[in-house]
Amino acid sequence: MAVLVLCSICAISQESMVTLSGGYSFANIEDTDATGTGWRINGLYEFNPMGGIFAHGFGFGYIHLSATEGVGQQSIEVSVNSFPVYYAPKVMLGNEKIKGFIKGIIGMQSSHLKREGLLEVSDFDFGFYGGGGAGVMVFLRENIFINAEYEIAYASNSWYNDGWMNSAMAGIGFRF
């Protein structure tokens, strides 16, 4: 009976957080000299066992990048759309008003690459997505916070070159 009560207390003391964010992304795109720039939207669900400094998160997102290389008739438009899905463990430090954090990222992503110039070429591929990030959460109320973070992740693909995906994001989160 005591074991059942202790397990129940741990389950009740778990906090959950949902964060919705968006922002600016950039990366080097395969076989171009131009840096692809664009935007990102992201969703993250986290649970924080017993309100401690560690949290376990599951995230998904959409990243759109585009770049132009060349001039005039020789220009090539390149776009990349990526859908990362990942596990994100997080360590949070701070007080109840402001918490800084660092996180890891490990998961997978699927990407669609499109090149338009004299010819149009497109490809769909998937691969590894992993890296890390750091940021801050500023609590407006006990259960509502503003999130700001920087994330860098390595995205690999089997058919085209791998690269580092950078994102600077801001958003809103809810703790329950």
Side-chain angles (χ1 to χ4, degrees):
M1 183 69 172
V3 172
L4 183 60
V5 170
L6 290 175
C7 289
S8 300
I9 290 171
C10 291
I12 291 171
S13 66
Q14 173 181 309
E15 291 179 345
S16 294
M17 294 182 283
V18 173
T19 306
L20 302 171
S21 56
Y24 174 75
S25 286
F26 63 96
N28 290 331
I29 299 177
E30 170 218 5
D31 297 332
T32 66
D33 293 330
T35 298
T37 60
W39 50 273
R40 175 179 182 164
I41 55 175
N42 203 61
L44 182 66
Y45 169 77
E46 297 174 293
F47 63 94
N48 183 351
M50 300 193 328
I53 65 170
F54 298 106
H56 303 277
F58 298 96
F60 62 93
Y62 174 73
I63 303 168
H64 173 77
L65 302 174
S66 60
T68 302
E69 183 178 42
V71 187
Q73 297 254 336
Q74 299 296 322
S75 69
I76 297 172
E77 297 284 331
V78 181
S79 66
V80 176
N81 297 310
S82 182
F83 298 92
V85 177
Y86 54 88
Y87 167 66
K90 182 187 279 187
V91 176
M92 300 176 290
L93 301 171
N95 57 35
E96 290 300 314
K97 292 289 185 188
I98 298 177
K99 290 188 182 204
F101 64 85
I102 57 172
K103 68 178 184 177
I105 300 165
I106 188 163
M108 64 175 284
Q109 52 86 26
S110 64
S111 298
H112 180 258
L113 173 71
K114 185 175 183 181
R115 292 174 163 274
E116 295 177 294
L118 294 174
L119 298 172
E120 183 176 314
V121 178
S122 66
D123 187 21
F124 177 79
D125 203 359
F126 67 93
F128 174 77
Y129 187 80
V136 64
M137 300 183 315
V138 178
F139 285 85
L140 303 174
R141 294 188 175 174
E142 183 179 325
N143 59 345
I144 299 173
F145 59 91
I146 294 174
N147 186 67
E149 66 181 290
Y150 178 80
E151 180 181 299
I152 183 167
Y154 183 73
S156 70
N157 294 283
S158 58
W159 291 103
Y160 57 90
N161 292 346
D162 307 335
W164 290 97
M165 186 79 63
N166 298 273
S167 300
M169 298 179 287
I172 188 163
F174 304 94
R175 179 170 60 179
F176 48 95

